[in-house]
Amino acid sequence: VPAKTYDTGAYHEPGPIGILFKIVHAFLYLVQPNSFPQGKQINYFLKNKYLLLMCSFYCRYQDYNLEAIYYEIGFIVSAALGLLFILLLPLVGLCFCMCRCCDNCGGEMHQRQKKNADCQRSCFATFLFVASLIIRQVVGVLCAYAANQHLTNQVRGAKKLVNSNFKDLKIFLNDTPAQIDYLVSQYNTTKNKALSDLNSKYFDLNGVTIRETKEALENVSVSVEVLQEGTERLHANLTDVKVHLSNTLSDSACTAAQAASTCNIIRNSLNQLNINANFSGLPGVSSQLARVNDVLKIDLSSLVQKWNVNVFYETVTMQCILLDIKSVLESIGLNITNFTKTLPVQKILADLMVYLTQSEAYVQDYFPVVEQYDFYRWLGCLILCCMLVLILVFYYLGLLCGTCGYDKHASPTTRGCISNTGGNFLMAGVGFSFLFSWALMSVVVLTFVTGGNVEKLVCEPFEDKTLFKVLDTPYLLNKHWKNYLSGILFKNPNINLTFEKVYSDCKENKGIYTSLHLEHLFNINEFLNISMYTEDVALKIEHIQINLSKIILLDEIGKENLLNFSSSGIEGINFAAYLTEINKSVTKVDLLSFANDLEARADQLPKGALENALKGHANNIRMIHNQQVVPLEQAMSTLNQSIRLLKRTSSELTVKVKNVISAVNAAQHLINNNASLVIVQETKKYMDTIVGYFEQYVEWVKESISMEVAACKPIANVIDTAVDIFLCSYVTDSLNTFWFGLGGSSMFLIPAIIFAVKLSKYYRRMDTEDVYDDTENGNNGYHKEHLYGIHNPVFT
């Protein structure tokens, strides 16, 4: 069955970002390692998921509640932590600010000098740099930005994929009627073969061997005559050529020193210009041909076929049987044609084409809107990334300015402007962290719950076909239907038609008739049942009564004619003499080679009349070869074929004639004693052969309709494109990678805040400080302010 090639490849390779997708999948497995719910669990879970999340452990459906919570426990715990982050971090930031305003929590502009201050500053700076680096590169801004940009790129490129699917669906709809017409048209091939066999004759004994023998004898007679005349003429022409060449070589120019040797060589080769095969002495075959013509005067074929016509074309019963068989063939073809017309294929395909065209127009119209909204989404995600980048900028500027401007010899109250600016940048980063953290985490929690559940409840089950098993759960989509798909298509929910089986069959590019079990709508077996057409004919064949006792296959005249043919004298032909002359060449030397050699030797002579004369003779020899030798070679080929045919015929002729006469006698005995039974049996066999043609055709039609006609690969491609590629690969993977990067960055804001607050003390300029004296002994180098009368605000 002719099939079209579809363009859509329902497979997506994400590229380098696929590594991030795999990391996110591994993280989701840690969050949700539980197997997908099955049976009643999913039935209840899908219907009451959000209700169960709010319901207490002591509600009516306590068991299902526990199962649902157990399945979602990873998402519930993670979402709860995210909500705590959203609520507590701004609250902690508020308390922290109020505390610092009261000169607590590090808000006091006084730094106590410690011996390990440099070590602490270095550690805080290193920890803050590492935390900022992780936020920015490892799980942070770059990861979120890459996912955001990947989703935008895929949405922009989705139009080509969508158009490819629409194109394949149109090919699918347009190609289906042509495939059905092809199946119907192939019936004519089967019917013509059957009719050809019906019109043929069982016993067709023609005089092929006799006619072939006559033709071979005629060819031998004609060919020998042509060869004899041709060789005589060729001999005369070659003799003339030798005479003229001898005269030319007798010219005085040949006596010159430069030409003498060449002329002698040419003169010595003239003996080669002679004929080689001699057909004048071959015996004729006229006597054998005359005997064969006498045999053919009696039309053996008419004698043999006379009874054949009487039996098969003048017997009314057999005429009726043949007409009945032909009628069966015509009725089968008519029923197949009517069956294809009764199918609502054209109407269904026309309606689907209209719907498909409208859908394509709708997608084309709204795709710019999708791209516009995707731009807004991209911009919003970019703003979220910029929030983190702003915090990182403050942290990096604080580290840069604080590190570059720090002077270890300067006291806390005399620190430089650059160092103080670095500390202020760090505190600004802390402030923006408190301001943006709740918004970032809100987006993370929302996208995590959405994208994570889509991945675990849709994408992973779709990949291993568990999702189809869920859709096939009895009474899930309709509490009154066991099988939802068959209830929709056939209004019979008891038919075992599942989403999983339909998808798998279409994935394997099987026909839609098999995939959707359309035999429940129209059963092709009922229309292609051969037996219901052949029962009447079979009954008529069983009651055939034919009397052939008076039929004579071959009378004595015909037998005598065959015996005369076997003694026609063909075996007496001297085949060896013919084959000996046929295997010879026409001339002793190849005239073309001789002419070429003569022309080459003429070129060795001095320029003049001798050279031109020799070249003229060479051209004359070529003309003789083309006009006389070539026809003689063709005649020899014909003679060779005819002689070999006659030789084969003569060696087997007597045996063949005896076998034919024996076979005719045996057939005559069979006809006289048991003809009616044999004819009935052979007719049944022949009827079975004819019916076998159509049984093969019917099986081929069934197989083609089941596996090839309307192969539904494009439907599976549409599902794969919508779910596996667009929803899962494009949207869900990108969304999950985005919240993974954004969430990781948000979580690392907490240690970054701590280290930034601690580090800012070492960079900012203090209002007061401890007095440090290197010459003081016994106090580890530190002054005690109350000993020197210096006010210590901490002790105060």
Side-chain angles (χ1 to χ4, degrees):
V1 178
K4 298 293 183 180
T5 302
Y6 299 116
D7 297 334
T8 303
Y11 176 76
H12 172 67
E13 181 61 42
I17 200 173
I19 299 175
L20 295 178
F21 293 166
K22 293 180 180 179
I23 295 174
V24 175
H25 291 166
F27 177 78
L28 285 175
Y29 178 77
L30 294 176
V31 173
Q32 172 58 292
N34 302 317
S35 60
F36 195 76
Q38 299 288 334
K40 294 182 178 180
Q41 297 178 2
I42 191 62
N43 193 349
Y44 184 82
F45 177 72
L46 290 179
K47 292 181 178 180
N48 303 279
K49 175 182 174 182
Y50 298 104
L51 175 63
L52 291 176
L53 292 178
M54 297 183 293
C55 183
S56 66
F57 286 97
Y58 303 101
C59 63
R60 177 181 178 184
Y61 303 103
Q62 184 175 357
D63 293 337
Y64 291 123
N65 186 12
L66 292 175
E67 292 177 1
I69 292 177
Y70 175 75
Y71 179 78
E72 287 284 323
I73 189 65
F75 287 103
I76 293 174
V77 172
S78 301
L81 293 176
L83 292 175
L84 287 176
F85 186 96
I86 295 170
L87 295 175
L88 294 181
L89 198 60
L91 184 60
V92 170
L94 178 61
C95 295
F96 179 73
C97 292
M98 294 177 63
C99 183
R100 288 182 66 86
C101 290
C102 297
D103 289 338
N104 294 317
C105 303
E108 181 186 11
M109 299 300 291
H110 174 82
Q111 184 177 15
R112 182 167 298 171
Q113 295 283 4
K114 295 182 180 180
K115 186 175 182 179
N116 60 347
D118 289 339
C119 180
Q120 289 184 347
R121 177 181 53 80
S122 300
C123 290
F124 290 148
T126 302
F127 291 152
L128 179 60
F129 178 78
V130 172
S132 300
L133 186 67
I134 293 176
I135 294 173
R136 183 174 68 89
Q137 291 181 344
V138 181
V139 292
V141 178
L142 294 180
C143 180
Y145 178 79
N148 182 39
Q149 189 63 40
H150 179 265
L151 178 56
T152 297
N153 293 338
Q154 299 307 322
V155 169
R156 291 175 181 174
K159 187 173 183 180
K160 180 179 179 181
L161 185 62
V162 172
N163 291 336
S164 176
N165 276 277
F166 276 117
K167 179 182 177 182
D168 288 349
L169 289 174
K170 287 183 177 180
I171 292 175
F172 168 74
L173 295 179
N174 291 328
D175 195 44
T176 299
Q179 291 178 328
I180 295 176
D181 293 339
Y182 178 80
L183 293 181
V184 175
S185 66
Q186 290 306 302
Y187 174 78
N188 292 328
T189 303
T190 306
K191 184 183 71 174
N192 293 335
K193 172 61 178 174
L195 292 176
S196 175
D197 288 353
L198 284 174
N199 292 328
S200 65
K201 302 175 181 61
Y202 285 108
F203 308 100
D204 190 10
L205 301 177
N206 294 319
V208 176
T209 303
I210 301 176
R211 288 190 173 86
E212 286 181 350
T213 303
K214 175 190 174 184
E215 293 175 359
L217 289 171
E218 290 176 344
N219 289 335
V220 170
S221 179
V222 172
S223 298
V224 169
E225 184 178 352
V226 169
L227 289 172
Q228 290 175 349
E229 294 177 357
T231 51
E232 291 178 1
R233 186 167 59 254
L234 177 62
H235 179 70
N237 290 333
L238 291 178
T239 302
D240 292 341
V241 170
K242 286 193 293 183
V243 171
H244 289 96
L245 271 173
S246 297
N247 295 334
T248 302
L249 295 174
S250 299
D251 189 88
S252 59
C254 279
T255 59
Q258 297 179 350
S261 61
T262 302
C263 290
N264 289 331
I265 294 174
I266 296 174
R267 190 179 294 111
N268 293 332
S269 64
L270 293 180
N271 293 329
Q272 298 177 355
L273 291 176
N274 206 345
I275 60 174
N276 190 29
N278 184 12
F279 297 98
S280 60
L282 292 178
V285 293
S286 57
S287 60
Q288 291 87 348
L289 181 60
R291 292 178 185 176
V292 172
N293 286 329
D294 291 339
V295 172
L296 287 176
K297 289 179 181 179
I298 300 175
D299 191 356
L300 184 62
S301 298
S302 64
L303 293 175
V304 176
Q305 294 177 2
K306 182 177 180 180
W307 71 272
N308 192 15
V309 176
N310 291 332
V311 173
F312 285 93
Y313 292 99
E314 294 183 1
T315 302
V316 177
T317 304
M318 290 306 299
Q319 287 180 348
C320 294
I321 296 298
L322 294 177
L323 290 176
D324 287 342
I325 295 175
K326 293 180 179 180
S327 176
V328 168
L329 303 184
E330 296 296 337
S331 62
I332 294 174
L334 183 61
N335 281 327
I336 292 175
T337 304
N338 292 335
F339 168 67
T340 57
K341 292 180 179 179
T342 57
L343 295 178
V345 175
Q346 294 294 343
K347 182 179 183 304
I348 294 174
L349 294 179
D351 294 341
L352 290 176
M353 183 60 74
V354 172
Y355 176 76
L356 184 64
T357 304
Q358 293 175 350
S359 300
E360 184 178 15
Y362 178 84
V363 170
Q364 297 296 337
D365 292 340
Y366 280 90
F367 201 84
V369 178
V370 173
E371 290 182 335
Q372 183 179 4
Y373 279 102
D374 178 71
F375 172 75
Y376 296 150
R377 179 208 56 78
W378 176 84
L379 190 60
C381 294
L382 185 63
I383 291 174
L384 294 175
C385 294
C386 289
M387 291 181 181
L388 285 173
V389 171
L390 180 62
I391 296 172
L392 291 175
V393 167
F394 282 124
Y395 284 159
Y396 279 129
L397 287 177
L399 287 171
L400 180 64
C401 294
T403 303
C404 296
Y406 181 77
D407 185 3
K408 64 180 181 178
H409 299 292
S411 64
T413 57
T414 60
R415 287 171 183 161
C417 180
I418 297 177
S419 177
N420 185 59
T421 302
N424 292 334
F425 275 133
L426 292 177
M427 292 309 299
V430 172
F432 281 110
S433 297
F434 283 121
L435 288 176
F436 295 155
S437 60
W438 66 273
L440 295 174
M441 188 54 68
S442 298
V443 174
V444 169
V445 171
L446 181 62
T447 53
F448 165 74
V449 173
T450 303
N453 278 286
V454 170
E455 175 66 28
K456 302 300 290 187
L457 295 177
V458 178
C459 297
E460 289 185 3
F462 179 83
E463 185 176 358
D464 58 12
K465 298 183 182 179
T466 307
L467 183 62
F468 296 105
K469 295 179 181 179
V470 171
L471 295 177
D472 293 329
T473 302
Y475 310 107
L476 173 64
L477 301 178
N478 189 314
K479 62 181 181 180
H480 301 294
W481 288 353
K482 181 179 180 180
N483 295 294
Y484 181 78
L485 189 57
S486 60
I488 289 292
L489 294 178
F490 310 123
K491 306 303 179 184
N492 184 2
N494 295 321
I495 298 175
N496 187 21
L497 181 64
T498 62
F499 288 99
E500 181 186 10
K501 188 64 168 62
V502 172
Y503 174 78
S504 299
D505 288 345
C506 289
K507 193 76 173 176
E508 296 174 4
N509 204 27
K510 292 184 179 180
I512 199 169
Y513 184 87
T514 299
S515 301
L516 294 181
H517 292 191
L518 295 182
E519 65 271 11
H520 296 285
L521 286 181
F522 38 89
N523 193 349
I524 61 174
N525 294 325
E526 297 178 358
F527 292 91
L528 298 177
N529 188 3
I530 295 294
S531 60
M532 66 180 183
Y533 302 108
T534 58
E535 291 179 356
D536 293 339
V537 179
L539 290 174
K540 292 180 179 180
I541 291 176
E542 291 179 359
H543 294 87
I544 292 177
Q545 295 293 332
I546 299 177
N547 185 9
L548 300 179
S549 60
K550 297 181 180 180
I551 297 298
I552 298 177
L553 293 179
L554 190 63
D555 56 12
E556 294 301 324
I557 298 177
K559 294 178 182 179
E560 183 181 356
N561 198 22
L562 288 176
L563 293 174
N564 291 335
F565 172 61
S566 64
S567 60
S568 60
I570 299 176
E571 69 278 1
I573 298 175
N574 190 355
F575 296 108
Y578 277 95
L579 293 176
T580 300
E581 297 302 323
I582 289 172
N583 292 329
K584 295 179 180 180
S585 59
V586 178
T587 57
K588 291 183 178 181
V589 67
D590 184 11
L591 295 185
L592 287 179
S593 300
F594 187 89
N596 293 333
D597 184 63
L598 179 61
E599 188 172 12
R601 296 189 182 282
D603 290 334
Q604 299 175 2
L605 298 174
K607 301 293 181 180
L610 180 61
E611 177 191 9
N612 294 333
L614 291 176
K615 287 184 177 181
H617 292 311
N619 291 331
N620 189 23
I621 294 173
R622 290 193 185 96
M623 184 174 62
I624 292 173
H625 177 271
N626 294 330
Q627 294 181 356
Q628 298 183 32
V629 175
V630 172
L632 289 176
E633 290 176 346
Q634 295 173 352
M636 288 175 66
S637 176
T638 303
L639 179 61
N640 183 26
Q641 295 176 1
S642 301
I643 286 296
R644 293 185 185 279
L645 175 61
L646 290 173
K647 186 178 180 181
R648 288 195 303 269
T649 303
S650 64
S651 62
E652 304 173 355
L653 183 60
T654 304
V655 177
K656 281 185 176 181
V657 169
K658 290 181 179 180
N659 291 338
V660 168
I661 294 176
S662 299
V664 169
N665 292 333
Q668 185 69 57
H669 180 268
L670 178 65
I671 289 174
N672 293 336
N673 295 278
N674 205 17
S676 179
L677 179 60
V678 171
I679 289 178
V680 171
Q681 292 176 348
E682 293 300 319
T683 306
K684 286 182 179 179
K685 292 181 181 179
Y686 190 65
M687 180 65 185
D688 293 338
T689 302
I690 297 298
V691 172
Y693 294 155
F694 294 95
E695 288 178 347
Q696 294 177 8
Y697 169 75
V698 168
E699 290 302 320
W700 174 73
V701 169
K702 292 178 181 178
E703 181 69 17
S704 300
I705 290 178
S706 300
M707 304 301 297
E708 300 181 50
V709 174
C712 56
K713 179 71 171 179
I715 298 177
N717 287 342
V718 170
I719 297 175
D720 290 340
T721 300
V723 180
D724 186 43
I725 296 180
F726 192 81
L727 176 62
C728 296
S729 298
Y730 287 1
V731 178
T732 305
D733 283 345
S734 299
L735 183 65
N736 289 336
T737 306
F738 179 78
W739 64 250
F740 182 76
L742 201 65
S745 299
S746 301
M747 294 301 298
F748 277 96
L749 287 178
I750 296 177
I753 290 174
I754 296 173
F755 296 137
V757 171
K758 290 288 188 180
L759 185 60
S760 66
K761 272 285 189 178
Y762 294 92
Y763 292 156
R764 298 179 70 189
R765 185 184 299 120
M766 301 289 104
D767 294 336
T768 60
E769 64 176 323
D770 291 342
V771 177
Y772 180 78
D773 187 1
D774 291 336
T775 62
E776 183 70 23
N777 296 322
N779 293 319
N780 296 325
Y782 289 94
H783 287 289
K784 295 184 180 178
E785 287 82 354
H786 69 277
L787 297 177
Y788 294 89
I790 301 175
H791 174 70
N792 188 343
V794 176
F795 291 155
T796 304

